[in-house]
Amino acid sequence: MPLAVRVPEELSARVPAEQREPGRGRESVRLMVSRGAEVSHHAFRELPGQLRAGDVLVVNTSATLAAAVTGRMGGEGGGDAVVVHFSTRGDWGHPLTKSGGGRWAVELREPDGAGSTRPRAGGPEGAVVLLPGGARLVLEEALVPGAARLWWARADRPVPALLARYGRPIRYGYTERDQPLAAYQTVFALPSPDGSGSAEMPSAGRPFTAGLVAELVRRGVQFAPLTLHTGVASAEAHEPPYPERFEVPASTARLVNAAKAGGGQVIAVGTTAVRALESAADGTGLVRAASGWTDLVVTPARGVRVVDGLLTGLHEPEASHLLMLEAVAGRRALRRAYTEAVRELYLWHEFGDVHLILPEDTPHCSHC
């Protein structure tokens, strides 16, 4: 276990911030700031005062898909109800598939009777899932041989159109109720021409609003966009991240390299932005335009070559993401921050509070 911290169940954020109290907005979540082992507590709207002119925030523009669809197992008569989570769109270039496009990695789950789902073993090979509108999904092979959770599957009609009509956002048991897809989109989200997107929201960007972005730009903070389409989270099985599709444009590479050369800090908004940006860097930390699939897993042993800081949500102590946080912050600092977060009753998960990890020698703001 990466951290010996127990997170009480009551610290799960069950609804978005703007629904917790009348008059609240997305930016009303709390912000914990770590500079080495030193921790301070703020409102997220105070973020501009924690950064400096010349810093770059690297943001993920992947849009969240309505990736959950209810179907039934079995033949034409239908069998047990299942919820299909469409995780990752495959193509010829995906490192874990041996055949062409039109396939998706999917996770099958059982309805829990309370609007959410519980785990279910995947498969078997050749099984058919009947989907709304007469669509059929055929399970072809396990994504990773011997692992039953995620399967390659092929639908008999375009999946993006199916999701647009019948899908809903993936919801987990700690949430209180269903939310509209808009609640899972960040201000940075852009639709993909081929209908690809993220199975789960790149949630570190959720608290940003257009007004806050404008204030950061006014203070000289720059934004550098990239795209990484996230698959389903892996907390239940403690699995490392699977390959995901990403793109770092040349304009972002130039902006990040210029910031590094000029003494600015490169701060990733979310673990997805770290994975994409570090995948586009060479051994010296120079970033180049890049696209395709990344299977990079950032660990303390590997370290980070580009990223100076990270703005992220609060992750479960068992989550593989914590290895990335440890690579940025260091184990001692991360343990101190998470102990503080529990003590100060910060909220976890995609609708919860956020954590800004900065280098230990970052100067404090004198007017925030």
Side-chain angles (χ1 to χ4, degrees), residues 40-88:
S40 59
H41 306 284
H42 309 266
F44 184 77
R45 62 176 62 93
E46 298 171 15
L47 176 65
Q50 303 299 318
L51 304 177
R52 308 176 305 192
D55 288 347
V56 173
L57 289 173
V58 181
V59 298
N60 187 358
T61 63
S62 179
T64 308
L65 299 174
V69 180
T70 299
R72 288 196 172 275
M73 298 295 300
E76 297 300 333
D80 294 338
V82 293
V83 176
V84 182
H85 289 175
F86 285 86
S87 176
T88 304

Side-chain angles (χ1 to χ4, degrees), residues 329-344:
R331 185 173 182 81
R332 174 173 167 266
L334 189 60
R335 184 186 296 115
R336 168 68 192 280
Y338 269 60
T339 300
E340 279 277 300
V342 171
R343 184 175 67 84
E344 295 291 331

Side-chain angles (χ1 to χ4, degrees), residues 274-275 277-283 296-307 327:
V274 176
R275 194 182 201 198
L277 193 60
E278 293 287 328
S279 296
D282 65 17
L296 176 66
V297 179
V298 178
T299 65
R302 189 264 185 193
V304 288
R305 297 165 183 170
V306 184
V307 172

Side-chain angles (χ1 to χ4, degrees), residues 3-365:
L3 289 180
V5 175
R6 188 185 71 83
V7 182
E9 186 177 342
E10 59 268 24
L11 295 186
S12 293
R14 303 194 182 281
V15 296
E18 58 270 28
Q19 297 177 20
R20 289 199 277 270
E21 293 177 21
R24 289 171 63 100
R26 287 184 172 212
E27 77 286 358
S28 62
V29 297
R30 299 168 70 191
L31 172 68
M32 179 172 63
V33 179
S34 295
R35 292 177 173 85
E38 182 182 347
V39 178
S40 59
H41 306 284
H42 309 266
F44 184 77
R45 62 176 62 93
E46 298 171 15
L47 176 65
Q50 303 299 318
L51 304 177
R52 308 176 305 192
D55 288 347
V56 173
L57 289 173
V58 181
V59 298
N60 187 358
T61 63
S62 179
T64 308
L65 299 174
V69 180
T70 299
R72 288 196 172 275
M73 298 295 300
E76 297 300 333
D80 294 338
V82 293
V83 176
V84 182
H85 289 175
F86 285 86
S87 176
T88 304
R89 184 175 189 159
D91 63 19
W92 284 104
H94 192 291
L96 295 181
T97 185
K98 299 187 290 291
S99 59
R103 299 209 303 176
W104 286 69
V106 302
E107 177 191 25
L108 301 188
R109 294 176 66 90
E110 294 179 352
D112 66 358
S116 183
T117 59
R118 54 178 170 257
R120 174 196 182 280
E125 183 176 324
V128 175
V129 182
L130 305 178
L131 298 174
R136 293 166 60 90
L137 183 74
V138 180
L139 303 182
E140 295 187 336
E141 60 182 334
L143 182 71
V144 177
R149 184 174 177 226
L150 290 173
W151 282 70
W152 285 118
R154 191 180 300 274
D156 63 357
R157 61 193 63 186
V159 170
L162 184 75
L163 299 183
R165 183 165 184 181
Y166 300 109
R168 60 190 182 277
I170 289 175
R171 176 190 161 196
Y172 289 117
Y174 51 77
T175 56
E176 186 175 290
R177 55 182 177 268
D178 287 342
Q179 297 290 339
L181 184 59
Y184 291 87
Q185 302 292 11
T186 74
V187 71
F188 307 112
L190 295 172
S192 176
D194 68 356
S196 296
S198 288
E200 297 182 2
M201 173 177 54
S203 55
R206 189 183 193 279
F208 285 88
T209 61
L212 187 61
V213 170
E215 173 63 13
L216 285 159
V217 171
R218 187 185 71 81
R219 293 186 180 222
V221 176
Q222 301 178 84
F223 285 82
L226 52 70
T227 302
L228 184 138
H229 298 312
T230 70
V232 295
S234 302
E236 289 161 353
H238 315 299
E239 301 154 341
Y242 291 110
E244 293 170 317
R245 194 162 55 147
F246 80 104
E247 180 180 6
V248 176
S251 57
T252 288
R254 288 193 296 269
L255 190 58
V256 167
N257 292 334
K260 298 286 284 187
Q265 298 178 120
V266 175
I267 299 166
V269 177
T271 58
T272 61
V274 176
R275 194 182 201 198
L277 193 60
E278 293 287 328
S279 296
D282 65 17
T284 69
L286 183 69
V287 179
R288 294 182 172 87
S291 63
W293 294 89
T294 177
D295 58 0
L296 176 66
V297 179
V298 178
T299 65
R302 189 264 185 193
V304 288
R305 297 165 183 170
V306 184
V307 172
D308 299 303
L310 171 61
L311 180 71
T312 183
L314 293 162
H315 302 277
E316 292 291 344
E318 300 88 356
S320 60
H321 290 110
L322 287 180
L323 292 174
M324 179 185 292
L325 271 62
E326 187 178 335
V328 177
R331 185 173 182 81
R332 174 173 167 266
L334 189 60
R335 184 186 296 115
R336 168 68 192 280
Y338 269 60
T339 300
E340 279 277 300
V342 171
R343 184 175 67 84
E344 295 291 331
L345 305 181
Y346 276 70
L347 296 181
W348 257 250
H349 302 303
E350 67 266 32
F351 297 137
D353 298 315
V354 287
H355 181 198
L356 175 61
I357 301 170
L358 293 173
E360 189 168 6
D361 57 354
T362 302
H364 286 267
C365 175

